[in-house]
Amino acid sequence: MAQVTKVLVGFKPKETVGRIGEWFAVTFAIALREVRSLFSSWIAYVTLAFFEIWAGFFFFAIARIGQTADMRYLFWNMAVILFIVLPMVTMRLLAEERRLGTLELLLTSPVTDWQVVLGKFLGAYYWLIVALGLTLYVPYLVHRFSGGTVDLGPYWTAYIGLLLFGAAAISVGVFWSALTDNQIIAAFATFGTLLLVYVITWPTEGTGTLAEICRKVSLYYRYQDFTAGLIQSKDVIFFLLLSLAFLYLAVQVLGSRRWR
Amino acid sequence: MIEVAGLTKFYGEVRALDDVTFSVRKGEIIGFLGPNGAGKTTTMRILTGFLSPTTGTAKVGGYDVVENSLEVRRITGYLPETVPLYNEMRVRDYLGYMARIRGVQRKRIRDRVDYAVERCGLREVADRIIGHLSKGYRQRVGVAQAIIHDPQVLILDEPTIGLDPVQVREVRQLIKDMAGERTIILSTHILPEVSMTCERVLIIHKGRIVAEDTPEGLSRRLSQSERILVRLARIPSQPLSALGKLDNVIKVEHVGDNLFAVEAPAGHDIREQLAEFIVKNGWGLLELRREEMTLEEIFVNLVTRE
């Protein structure tokens, strides 16, 4: 009780806000350095080009051949391209720092492991925002050439879905990058993990408990709802929890080195 | 400032540190001396919170390195063995970033970067890309990031490794200049380094501290015999046996063309007796001096004994 009273009496709102602000400011500094480093190397541009070219390809294929504004296939394919490309973006996050020895610097600075992991996550997330931002010509063109008759609602929900799906994918990437200092292994492990949870329902189509569980953890099933114009809180929570879980695991991996 | 007690670290089955105990006073500069794999880096990594000890405790500035790791890191500057730099960054940006994550207030960053640049002689390269810098400059950038947040404690792991002699001298001077204002621990496997920069030496071997003293004290304590070198103008017919008959002489060696080494037990000064004897015999004493045992020899002595 005395403890609680002490904490309550000692609580200074201004100071606490300042400290939380500082916590995030330093985290953003780590993220910003990551962004600069990413965009000073070819990898950012090669991966962006890959994503944009394939997204563009599917868009024009659907618009030209399908003569339709139903872009569900496009958004499904965007998710697939993302989990091919994102591992290349995330593989270097912590693995590179480990290889350079700068991880030792980060972890002996007065920042918590959470700040490091979150900073890395945000750095890669910036790439995702740029990548998705560069596809915004899709709703623009559809709107323009349909004379405003097409409901863009499902497009926006699909984008929200991609942002959530991407968060989960990047978290998986951060985790694998924390676990190994070999970037190729980090990339393949990330790709493998994402592919597994994407296609997990394929061998268990139909009914039954197993099929039900598989559908519950399938990123594909969860994401499909978004492309259909549906935002369900259980899907949002699923993606957020999944991201948090992998970031948590990454923090644990970073912390475990102290005892190795 | 630094209190280490009973520190032990296992990597799996391998014992990297074995009951290491030492302390460092505020403002002191101490050297960690030992061959590669002796446990220097492990000790430094524990002090900086990068690793946790298996048993034992370490305190820096009164903070426990495990319990209050963040506080310890705030007051400690660290230069790891492989200088950790982001090659694509410019020196100034790198130092600014390091200042930020080391907890420097945003409005003070510019001042701190200027200070570190000035202090480490980086003015000419401040706007260059780190990847293009020479090894000597890279090392100095490493030292600069270690002092960027004005730490009370500085931990430098092999700060002069891989530098050319001129650069080595510069970095040593830099470290020496900071003595007094900060508490410094530096590790090295190069002996002259500790005698040139440190006030106190800890010799570490196979995870254990095997000796602790001032460089001079160590030198004194460890020389179990004293060698006197004498140079003669005329070499007698049987110099070795003649000198060997003197009191307290253990061994006589012919080391150069007319140079002889006379060995006596430590604490016995035989110089006067030796000079008298040579002069009396008319051998022509040209030179007589005490040979100091070099730290190199002490080191070999220490680590080969164990």
Side-chain angles (χ1 to χ4, degrees), chain B residues 2 105 134 182 189 196 247 253 302:
Chain B
I2 299 171
Q105 294 293 315
S134 72
R182 302 178 212 282
H189 64 278
M196 269 178 250
D247 283 345
E253 248 180 271
L302 273 166

Side-chain angles (χ1 to χ4, degrees), chain B residues 79 139 157-164 167-169 171-172 175 187-188 190 193:
Chain B
L79 172 65
Q139 198 79 23
D157 199 354
E158 303 260 9
T160 59
I161 202 165
L163 298 183
D164 69 38
Q167 296 164 340
V168 166
R169 219 168 40 219
V171 171
R172 276 186 199 149
I175 295 166
S187 81
T188 178
I190 306 157
E193 189 142 299

Side-chain angles (χ1 to χ4, degrees), chain B residues 14-226:
Chain B
V14 182
R15 195 200 304 255
L17 282 186
D18 186 6
D19 196 21
V20 166
T21 300
F22 66 91
S23 64
V24 186
R25 289 189 313 275
K26 196 171 157 65
E28 203 178 8
I29 165 164
I30 72 152
F32 250 15
L33 186 58
N36 294 322
K40 293 169 298 194
T41 300
T42 302
T43 310
M44 292 183 152
R45 284 183 163 172
I46 290 173
L47 286 177
T48 52
F50 187 65
L51 291 173
S52 292
T54 309
T55 58
T57 58
K59 279 191 174 140
V60 177
Y63 297 112
D64 188 283
V65 294
V66 179
E67 313 261 301
N68 307 99
S69 181
L70 287 180
E71 278 81 0
V72 171
R73 295 187 229 166
R74 232 180 287 278
I75 60 167
T76 307
Y78 177 38
L79 172 65
E81 191 176 346
T82 47
V83 185
L85 302 171
Y86 298 103
N87 289 323
E88 77 280 358
M89 288 179 106
R90 287 174 200 281
V91 172
R92 209 172 265 284
D93 296 339
Y94 170 75
L95 292 176
Y97 169 68
M98 286 313 299
R100 195 76 194 96
I101 68 167
R102 289 275 173 75
V104 176
Q105 294 293 315
R106 217 172 317 185
K107 52 179 182 281
R108 288 193 55 230
I109 285 182
R110 186 186 270 267
D111 286 348
R112 289 307 304 171
V113 170
D114 286 343
Y115 168 83
V117 162
E118 209 53 48
R119 195 74 213 247
C120 299
L122 291 166
R123 210 185 319 168
E124 295 128 67
V125 298
D127 295 310
R128 298 251 300 266
I129 287 170
I130 291 173
H132 299 166
L133 295 183
S134 72
K135 204 147 187 197
Y137 272 125
R138 292 171 64 87
Q139 198 79 23
R140 283 198 245 173
V141 176
V143 177
Q145 65 77 22
I147 61 169
I148 195 81
H149 55 307
D150 199 13
Q152 302 168 38
V153 177
L154 210 49
I155 294 179
L156 310 168
D157 199 354
E158 303 260 9
T160 59
I161 202 165
L163 298 183
D164 69 38
V166 178
Q167 296 164 340
V168 166
R169 219 168 40 219
E170 288 169 358
V171 171
R172 276 186 199 149
Q173 194 54 48
L174 182 60
I175 295 166
K176 252 163 120 173
D177 289 347
M178 288 185 293
E181 43 181 311
R182 302 178 212 282
T183 308
I184 304 176
I185 300 185
L186 69 91
S187 81
T188 178
H189 64 278
I190 306 157
L191 288 163
E193 189 142 299
V194 283
S195 54
M196 269 178 250
T197 48
C198 303
E199 294 159 25
R200 200 146 58 89
V201 189
L202 298 177
I203 295 185
I204 186 163
H205 182 54
K206 290 188 176 161
R208 272 216 185 91
I209 290 183
V210 290
E212 178 184 348
D213 211 333
T214 59
E216 303 81 45
L218 210 57
S219 178
R220 211 176 309 120
R221 214 173 68 190
L222 278 148
S223 36
Q224 273 154 11
S225 62
E226 241 174 339

Side-chain angles (χ1 to χ4, degrees), chain A residues 6-256:
Chain A
K6 210 170 125 193
V7 169
L8 287 179
V9 170
F11 181 75
K12 293 173 189 136
K14 209 168 174 185
E15 200 175 287
T16 308
V17 168
R19 215 174 290 163
I20 292 170
E22 182 65 16
W23 196 95
F24 279 104
V26 171
T27 306
F28 279 124
I30 295 172
L32 190 65
R33 200 215 62 77
E34 189 58 44
V35 168
R36 286 209 182 122
S37 156
L38 187 63
F39 282 87
S40 74
S41 77
W42 282 105
I43 195 121
Y45 303 103
V46 171
T47 45
L48 273 178
F50 184 92
F51 181 77
E52 300 310 328
I53 287 168
W54 281 107
F57 174 83
F58 285 117
F59 171 62
F60 286 107
I62 291 164
R64 240 184 96 81
I65 313 294
Q67 295 284 316
T68 169
D70 178 3
M71 286 294 158
R72 261 183 302 169
Y73 288 105
L74 171 64
F75 286 114
W76 291 349
N77 284 328
M78 269 200 208
V80 174
I81 308 163
L82 269 187
F83 76 65
I84 293 170
V85 170
L86 274 178
M88 319 262 183
V89 178
T90 60
M91 66 182 185
R92 49 193 299 291
L93 290 176
L94 286 155
E96 174 81 353
E97 298 253 6
R98 203 186 291 258
R99 195 182 63 77
L100 283 174
T102 45
L103 189 65
E104 192 164 346
L105 215 56
L106 263 180
L107 298 178
T108 55
S109 297
V111 295
T112 61
D113 294 356
W114 264 110
Q115 282 174 296
V116 173
V117 166
L118 208 59
K120 292 287 167 187
F121 170 86
L122 292 174
Y125 207 77
Y126 180 84
W127 180 95
L128 179 73
I129 290 170
V130 171
L132 293 180
L134 290 175
T135 64
L136 287 177
Y137 64 85
V138 170
Y140 172 75
L141 289 181
V142 169
H143 179 75
R144 176 110 193 253
F145 288 102
S146 68
T149 56
V150 172
D151 172 21
L152 293 179
Y155 289 40
W156 304 131
T157 55
Y159 273 113
I160 290 169
L162 282 173
L163 285 172
L164 288 165
F165 171 84
I170 289 170
S171 305
V172 171
V174 172
F175 165 71
W176 282 110
S177 183
L179 208 56
T180 171
D181 51 4
N182 186 320
Q183 302 192 13
I184 304 295
I185 292 177
F188 269 99
T190 307
F191 178 67
T193 310
L194 293 174
L195 189 63
L196 177 73
V197 282
Y198 202 76
V199 302
I200 195 163
T201 53
W202 290 8
T204 57
E205 285 294 349
T207 50
T209 327
L210 187 64
E212 195 55 40
I213 291 171
C214 286
R215 264 201 290 279
K216 281 251 177 332
V217 300
S218 165
L219 293 180
Y220 177 71
Y221 263 74
R222 296 278 180 184
Y223 171 62
Q224 257 186 344
D225 292 345
F226 287 95
T227 60
L230 219 59
I231 298 181
Q232 300 190 72
S233 52
K234 61 176 175 132
D235 292 336
V236 175
I237 290 168
F238 170 80
F239 278 118
L240 290 181
L241 277 184
L242 193 70
S243 308
L244 214 56
F246 274 97
L247 291 182
Y248 174 80
L249 285 177
V251 169
Q252 295 309 307
V253 169
L254 272 195
S256 76

